Amino acid sequence: MAAAPTWDAVYERNSVERIKRDRPPLGIRDELPALIAAGYEAMPEEDIVRLQWWGLYHDKPKIGTFMLRVKIPSGILTAAKLRAIGEVSNRYGRGDAELTTRQCIQLHWLELAELPNVFADLEAAGITSAGGCGDTVRNITGCPVSGIAADELFDSTPVVEAATEEFYGNRAWANLPRKHKYSIASCADRCNAPEINCVSLVGAINNGREGYAVQVGGGLSSVPRIARDLGVFVPKEEANEILGAVTSVWSEDLKYRMSRVKARLKFMVDDIGADGMLERVETKLGRTLERYELPPVGAHPSAHIGVHPQKDGRRYIGLPVPLGLSSGDQLIAVADLVESFGGDIRLTRQQNLIVTGVVDVDATLAALAELGLTLETNESWANSIACTGEPHCNFSVGETKERLRELLVHLESTFGDDIAELRLHLDGCPHACAQHWVGDLGFQATTGKDADGNRIGAYDIFVRGSLGPVPQVGASLFRRVASEELEAAVEGLIRGWLDERRDGETFTEFQRRVSDDELGAFAGIEPTRKRVAA
């Protein structure tokens, strides 16, 4: 048996661990005046890395501007906070705002010299970016209509708030092996995607008590995993304790600090299984947890689009934000509108926006439409997701948001409302920020070659993925499809489904029923053949 790793071995192998040891990243806020005085060009690369702990990444190209990821627990915002984000976007950036799949808002074009002002303005409004990136607890996701939805099991908002208080910006949780993602919700249809988070607390009622089942080891990127259930019930009062225990047994095992490639909780769950994780967690807690079998979910995750009742008799309205793209001006205008009737704003995992507390639905819909937010659009725009991609992301190798826009426009003009429920997820790289592994169809940008050997933009197409009742990681069935051939291939797949589906059969159910060759015939592309070991 190999010897257990030591900290000396970790520091020898892992440069980021050395940075965290020598210069704790959260402390870089205090160094900003000196870094600004020296100038961006003189900024060491390790300080660029440390800025991630405050939610900052380089914009593309790396010429001096930054993207800032603002953390919004469960995507819930007051009007004042949304207005502050919009004002920061306009004042220090170029008015761009982007909704993310972790219910955050990203701002672009921020300059090093303005970062102290950016932080000050946001924090004055009660907003933080601490842990927006870096080896720490990322934004805690949840059901965006927690606390108001008429059909929720119970309100998880206090639990999310308590976790936020414990884990955001806390130096005790700012040196994890890598990024770490929590999701906490008691949504009836599990809209928050617990299947693909590192640790998820899934709302449950057990013998009349409110609490959570615990799922661990989910995640996507280049090695996708569906989370596994620990088979326990945790009362909601113990939520922070169980989050801390799971996180600690992973963080304290130096095996998962040796390599950045394997420094995620999902690899620990791969190694020791759900039973092994439970054993370690119970050892950490010093007690046995109550065993519990989580009932299966019967519905697909909701996007919460449309007009819905609240517990208090008012309404909330979920609106598509096509491609998750907004602006500082639009955020400010929405804040002003919602403040006028005492509501708030919620952001969804599908990069859309919800306004709550609505009394006069017709008047509110008309006002929102004037701001560019309308329900009079094909719902596929609300269900489909693209990552940041071009022009901002340094990892992206192809068009994302504009490419998805072109694809959706074509499909809508071809099929109309028949595609309303389709979920198309398009990513610019293997990091899978747009969750291409679990879309009805997923796309990952890559490159290919034309007949003359010239490099061209292309996409891998993923099929059979989903969350919900039968969660499954998709498979890359068509490789390096030239960008100009994408519409024809997807149109063929959808037309095959519409022509040959059985009663009530969803697109993903259809894909799982037919063979690879049949899908290839519909798409007009030869499927990628799996390699068989000799």
Side-chain angles (χ1 to χ4, degrees):
M1 181 180 294
T6 65
W7 276 110
D8 286 342
V10 168
Y11 294 140
E12 181 180 354
R13 291 272 300 274
N14 192 325
S15 62
V16 177
E17 291 291 344
R18 294 196 297 274
I19 291 173
K20 292 187 289 184
R21 175 196 63 189
D22 298 338
R23 304 179 68 197
L26 286 175
I28 198 168
R29 282 279 298 274
D30 298 329
E31 302 167 28
L32 282 176
L35 293 171
I36 292 168
Y40 170 81
E41 291 78 8
M43 194 172 186
E45 183 61 31
E46 69 178 41
D47 287 333
I48 298 291
V49 172
R50 294 169 69 218
L51 283 174
Q52 293 176 15
W53 270 251
W54 287 100
L56 290 157
Y57 276 118
H58 260 133
D59 270 327
K60 182 180 183 178
K62 299 179 180 179
I63 56 172
T65 64
F66 294 89
M67 177 274 286
L68 177 69
R69 183 177 295 150
V70 174
K71 294 178 80 172
I72 305 167
S74 285
I76 299 175
L77 280 164
T78 63
K81 288 183 178 181
L82 185 66
R83 183 182 298 109
I85 295 170
E87 290 173 347
V88 166
S89 177
N90 286 346
R91 187 176 299 131
Y92 304 112
R94 300 182 188 175
D96 291 343
E98 178 187 357
L99 312 187
T100 81
T101 56
R102 290 203 69 78
Q103 299 172 284
C104 301
I105 296 178
Q106 292 181 169
L107 307 179
H108 295 279
W109 309 110
L110 305 177
E111 297 182 1
L112 176 64
E114 296 291 358
L115 292 184
N117 296 323
V118 170
F119 290 132
D121 288 2
L122 290 172
E123 288 168 358
I127 302 164
T128 187
S129 64
C133 314
D135 299 350
T136 185
V137 174
R138 300 296 182 89
N139 193 52
I140 299 171
T141 64
C143 176
V145 289
S146 181
I148 63 172
D151 63 347
E152 69 179 349
L153 297 180
F154 57 89
D155 183 6
S156 279
T157 306
V159 178
V160 173
E161 291 173 345
T164 297
E165 180 69 22
E166 170 64 21
F167 296 103
Y168 280 22
N170 185 341
R171 293 174 187 269
W173 301 104
N175 182 15
L176 302 180
R178 270 195 73 191
K179 60 185 175 183
H180 197 49
K181 298 178 178 180
Y182 296 158
S183 195
I184 306 169
S186 38
C187 179
D189 59 32
R190 302 177 195 168
C191 71
N192 57 309
E195 303 95 332
I196 55 173
N197 281 268
C198 301
V199 189
S200 291
L201 302 184
V202 182
I205 305 292
N206 185 20
N207 296 324
R209 295 170 297 148
E210 297 175 349
Y212 299 94
V214 183
Q215 296 184 338
V216 298
L220 297 179
S221 192
S222 57
V223 186
R225 294 288 185 272
I226 297 296
R228 301 184 220 180
D229 200 329
L230 287 187
V232 298
F233 176 83
V234 178
K236 60 185 182 180
E237 296 79 12
E238 299 174 10
N240 271 8
E241 186 180 24
I242 194 70
L243 290 171
V246 174
T247 301
S248 293
V249 298
W250 164 64
S251 180
E252 293 167 2
D253 190 329
L254 298 188
K255 176 179 178 180
Y256 302 99
R257 292 181 183 267
M258 293 290 286
S259 166
R260 300 284 290 175
V261 175
K262 291 294 184 76
R264 295 293 303 276
L265 180 66
K266 62 186 175 184
F267 294 109
M268 186 176 193
V269 177
D270 280 352
D271 289 343
I272 66 175
D275 290 342
M277 283 297 302
L278 179 58
E279 180 181 356
R280 292 198 188 188
V281 168
E282 289 182 330
T283 299
K284 186 73 177 178
L285 293 171
R287 69 176 190 276
T288 300
L289 295 172
E290 180 180 352
R291 296 317 191 247
Y292 175 74
E293 183 176 350
L294 178 67
V297 66
H300 289 278
S302 171
H304 299 293
I305 295 298
V307 181
H308 302 272
Q310 295 182 188
K311 293 177 182 178
D312 61 6
R314 295 186 289 176
R315 298 288 188 270
Y316 72 82
I317 304 174
L319 298 128
V321 180
L323 310 173
L325 295 176
S326 185
S327 67
D329 288 343
Q330 187 179 55
L331 297 183
I332 293 167
V334 170
D336 291 343
L337 171 65
V338 173
E339 192 171 62
S340 71
F341 53 77
D344 66 16
I345 300 94
R346 314 290 178 98
L347 309 179
T348 78
R349 178 179 62 84
Q350 295 89 348
Q351 303 172 318
N352 297 312
L353 181 147
I354 296 169
V355 299
T356 75
V358 176
V359 177
D360 189 332
V361 171
D362 290 339
T364 302
L365 284 172
L368 287 164
E370 290 182 3
L371 303 179
L373 298 166
T374 177
L375 289 178
E376 301 300 320
T377 186
N378 193 298
E379 196 168 335
S380 60
W381 290 93
N383 294 328
S384 297
I385 299 170
C387 72
T388 297
E390 298 284 0
H392 295 298
C393 179
N394 286 285
F395 298 107
S396 184
V397 298
E399 291 287 343
T400 54
K401 292 187 181 295
E402 289 306 313
R403 191 65 191 86
L404 182 59
R405 185 194 302 276
E406 294 169 358
L407 181 57
L408 285 170
V409 166
H410 174 79
L411 296 176
E412 183 180 11
S413 67
T414 304
F415 297 110
D417 289 340
D418 284 339
I419 64 162
E421 295 184 2
L422 287 186
R423 301 169 301 115
L424 308 183
H425 294 203
L426 194 151
D427 272 304
C429 81
H431 291 169
C433 297
Q435 305 167 359
H436 65 265
W437 293 103
V438 291
D440 289 329
L441 285 175
F443 309 90
Q444 181 189 312
T446 182
T447 58
K449 291 184 178 180
D450 63 17
D452 298 322
N454 299 310
R455 184 175 174 178
I456 59 171
Y459 295 83
D460 292 345
I461 302 178
F462 294 73
V463 301
R464 305 188 179 111
S466 74
L467 302 173
V470 188
Q472 181 174 309
V473 169
S476 176
L477 187 59
F478 306 110
R479 300 293 304 277
R480 302 187 187 280
V481 178
S483 181
E484 60 267 22
E485 299 173 4
L486 201 59
E487 275 79 5
V490 176
E491 179 182 331
L493 290 167
I494 294 172
R495 195 176 300 281
W497 164 58
L498 293 175
D499 289 346
E500 300 193 18
R501 62 183 167 176
R502 296 171 178 172
D503 289 345
E505 190 173 48
T506 68
F507 183 56
T508 293
E509 289 169 344
F510 169 75
Q511 292 181 87
R512 292 177 182 175
R513 175 171 61 83
V514 303
S515 69
D516 288 357
D517 286 336
E518 288 173 297
L519 289 177
F522 294 134
I525 301 173
E526 181 72 16
T528 301
R529 301 300 175 185
K530 296 181 176 64
R531 295 177 182 175
V532 178

